[in-house]
Amino acid sequence: EPEVTQTPSHQVTQMGQEVILRCVPISNHLYFYWYRQILGQKVEFLVSFYNNEISEKSEIFDDQFSVERPDGSNFTLKIRSTKLEDSAMYFCASRLEGRDRAYFGPGTRLTVT
Amino acid sequence: SQQGEEDPQALSIQEGENATMNCSYKTSINNLQWYRQNSGRGLVHLILIRSNEREKHSGRLRVTLDTSKKSSSLLITASRAADTASYFCATDALHGGGSNYKLTFGKGTLLTVNP
């Protein structure tokens, strides 16, 4: 089965630092997403990306967050100045068509100290 | 806003028993997907049921969808200790124009299967 990959698997950073979470979606997929899950809570939508632009973003996705697909294979999530409350598992997902099954990566656990 | 809400929040059963988890949502959907998550791990896709389908099977899993009641159920038959995990439903629906679909997850059901 095709896989979405994410790096790193775990990132520890200090409050106020910038982090970049990386994802490699499935190669022919067109729709890309970031979700996050704070420990013990539900999976929350952050942003969707299609045709090289954001198609929707949630209230969580404020000016500190940005996404990029720099080279046609990677899909990145940047948090400019991390806060303690950004500590969570971040999942990347992709799908071929908007109504297809979404394929999720294994997640990056971000710990902000 | 639409949202999948699972019921019960937690379910504890004995190995060999069946486990049923329910999901309710509020607005029209294109499809509904069920995921499994072991503690602290990634999301494993279990099954997708489209809005024009009423029932789907995959191995020991059976999913039903009732769009008139805006509800779905996931049945795991002959449960095993290895089925212990959190189970989430996620509703997939169009947001805005074009083909901008978004998955919205519920809070999940924590299933414990005792050996």
Side-chain angles (χ1 to χ4, degrees):
Chain A
E1 180 171 279
E3 284 187 340
V4 174
T5 59
Q6 290 185 243
T7 54
S9 56
H10 190 191
Q11 172 113 33
V12 181
T13 189
Q14 289 190 326
M15 198 167 52
Q17 296 296 304
E18 173 183 287
V19 294
I20 297 176
L21 308 183
R22 291 183 167 79
C23 168
V24 179
I26 294 168
S27 61
N28 61 337
H29 283 190
L30 302 175
Y31 296 81
F32 312 107
Y33 308 84
W34 284 101
Y35 287 79
R36 80 170 188 190
Q37 184 182 34
I38 294 171
L39 187 64
Q41 297 187 23
K42 68 176 183 177
V43 178
E44 299 174 290
F45 170 79
L46 290 179
V47 66
S48 57
F49 192 86
Y50 169 72
N51 201 26
N52 283 319
E53 61 182 20
I54 290 174
S55 44
E56 187 175 355
K57 58 185 180 180
S58 72
E59 294 173 354
I60 303 167
F61 195 90
D62 61 21
D63 292 345
Q64 294 302 310
F65 290 86
S66 62
V67 289
E68 203 175 39
R69 188 157 161 79
D71 55 12
S73 62
N74 292 284
F75 181 49
T76 62
L77 174 69
K78 182 193 290 186
I79 310 174
R80 286 191 188 82
S81 178
T82 50
K83 306 169 192 168
L84 294 176
E85 54 264 37
D86 292 328
S87 294
M89 182 78 96
Y90 288 79
F91 293 105
C92 171
S94 71
R95 49 183 168 183
L96 177 60
E97 298 286 345
R99 291 175 285 184
D100 285 346
R101 169 198 159 177
Y103 288 77
F104 281 81
T108 292
R109 181 168 298 285
L110 176 66
T111 303
V112 182
T113 62
Chain B
S1 62
Q2 84 179 25
Q3 194 171 34
E5 294 289 345
E6 292 90 343
D7 165 52
Q9 290 186 328
L11 179 62
S12 182
I13 60 175
Q14 295 300 121
E15 212 165 23
E17 294 181 339
N18 296 341
T20 299
M21 289 159 271
N22 302 297
C23 171
S24 61
Y25 57 93
K26 295 176 183 174
T27 62
S28 295
I29 61 171
N30 176 67
N31 66 68
L32 187 145
Q33 304 180 30
W34 284 90
Y35 289 83
R36 166 195 164 124
Q37 185 181 39
N38 287 79
S39 180
R41 306 296 294 273
L43 296 163
V44 176
H45 182 267
L46 296 176
I47 199 162
L48 180 155
I49 186 165
R50 300 198 182 276
S51 59
N52 61 352
E53 297 175 311
R54 292 296 167 257
E55 187 170 311
K56 276 188 94 166
H57 296 255
S58 176
R60 292 183 296 113
L61 306 181
R62 173 179 168 251
V63 169
T64 62
L65 179 64
D66 186 334
T67 52
S68 66
K69 294 181 179 177
K70 293 186 169 54
S71 67
S72 173
S73 67
L74 170 68
L75 168 68
I76 304 174
T77 60
S79 63
R80 305 165 183 168
D83 294 329
T84 295
S86 289
Y87 291 82
F88 296 92
C89 72
T91 51
D92 199 13
L94 191 61
H95 288 258
S99 57
N100 183 23
Y101 287 84
K102 183 176 83 174
L103 275 173
T104 303
F105 284 80
K107 294 180 181 177
T109 293
L110 177 60
L111 173 67
T112 302
V113 182
N114 301 299

